[in-house]
Amino acid sequence: MNTSHTAKPVTARRSNALKGNVRIPGDKSISHRSFMFGALASGKTYVNGLLEGEDVLNTGRAMQAMGAFIQKEKDTWVIQGTGNGCLLQANQPLYFGNAGTGVRLTMGLVSTYDMETTFVGDASLSKRPMERILEPLRLMGVQVKAAQGSRLPITLHGPRVAAPLIYRVPMASAQVKSAVLLAGLNTPGITTVIESVMTRDHTERMLYSFGADIEVETPISGERIIRLVGQKSLKGQVIDVPGDPSSASFLLVAALLIPESDIVIHNVLVSPARAGIFLTLQEMGADIRFLDERITGGENVADLHVRTSYLKGINIPPERAPSMIDEYPVLSIAAAFAEGKTIMTGIEELRVKESDRIAAVAAGLKANNIFCTEGIDYLIIEGRPEGKNSGGGIVTTHLDHRIAMSFLVMGLASQHEVTIDDASMIATSFPQFINLMTELGANFA
Ligand code: S3P
């Protein structure tokens, strides 16, 4: 467990055109779940294209601590699972670093075992709300010990026999939905989760392919009702993880904003539950083409051809937020260079990410001479087309990888350079970011 932290400032300067063909690392959500479901399945799971970021590696370590064997053979991660219901008690606290998905899903996964598990994380994760996970778990019979305000460190002890639950998720959160479903895997009977807005559905799709007894009903009310029959066996799978659309978005926005850029990003996940950013940028005037659209492992995948574009501000419908929730920081950079106002509403969940992203983005934009106004659940940005007079600021990243990458992208297109106080957290989700961008032509110091 490494909890020490040394800040690493980086400066981004106006760059020449970005050109080239790139592959980006695997999707973070699918990578976490690959380690978890592989660890739980009987037999071997083979994972190609796994994101080897710190967040996902911490999930892998947690699964090893509970009995799974995980090793890398050439480019493939091979997981020998314990079998559903057969995880072992870890003999020390499980450390999840910066990762909300890692800790929240694993809390669900182990909560219904009659054993004690302690969860810890870094300074950012230790500030994030966990009550949203603890509330449904308590209803299933789980005993909880938590730090003040339901924060980490948290210790869970499952009941001898957990009670299945019918649970309506009170906020748009794939993590809460997934935690309850994963708790249901070791619970007799049917666990039901209802969500009123669709969030990313990798848990449902992947559990189905691992052989879980899971079904999704979509009545005309628009809600999604997910039913999972517990205590069924899961079987190891072969998984090809597609490229992460959230990581792709940094390259994409950089290419849109830096004059005369022309890049192709290969093998990007573009399934509807994750594709809000592409639609939004296209509505703003972005030239993004989807090449060779295909289905891989049940997900939509495409190569993205992106060319520099003149962007206009738009009003983004709040119901689109779940399909692009992690992309608002980098979208804000696109908005900072667009003509007119970009209005983002219904984004209150951004306040509880790795940082308060509404506040962090607003402060970063203001430090770089972009006018914006924020409210509890909205952000309005007034763009400066072509970045006139933009930049020149130092941005506080609050241990948030997406704030760090977003403002580096800003510096590549601004009139004056942009410095971020700490680039080290980028390793949690996109360790190759600086190198890959530099190969395309980006100017960092
Ligand atoms: C994730 C769900 C989202 C997202 C996070 C990954 C997942 O979080 O922001 O990066 O893999 O389920 P919420 O469920 O809190 O919206």
Side-chain angles (χ1 to χ4, degrees), residues 51-73:
L51 165 64
E52 295 174 6
E54 272 308 312
D55 279 6
V56 172
L57 296 177
N58 281 325
T59 291
R61 288 177 197 123
M63 297 304 130
Q64 285 174 316
M66 294 189 292
F69 288 97
I70 302 181
Q71 61 182 29
K72 196 172 175 190
E73 293 175 9

Side-chain angles (χ1 to χ4, degrees), residues 43-118:
K44 285 187 176 168
T45 290
Y46 299 86
V47 189
N48 301 309
L50 183 101
L51 165 64
E52 295 174 6
E54 272 308 312
D55 279 6
V56 172
L57 296 177
N58 281 325
T59 291
R61 288 177 197 123
M63 297 304 130
Q64 285 174 316
M66 294 189 292
F69 288 97
I70 302 181
Q71 61 182 29
K72 196 172 175 190
E73 293 175 9
K74 295 207 174 111
D75 290 337
T76 304
W77 286 85
V78 183
I79 307 153
Q80 171 78 58
T82 59
N84 186 22
C86 302
L87 291 173
L88 302 173
Q89 176 163 316
N91 56 17
Q92 57 186 33
L94 302 178
Y95 176 70
F96 287 91
N98 195 248
T101 305
V103 79
R104 291 188 174 129
L105 269 59
T106 307
M107 279 203 259
L109 192 67
V110 307
S111 64
T112 45
Y113 283 71
D114 182 10
M115 65 187 193
E116 194 162 277
T117 316
T118 297

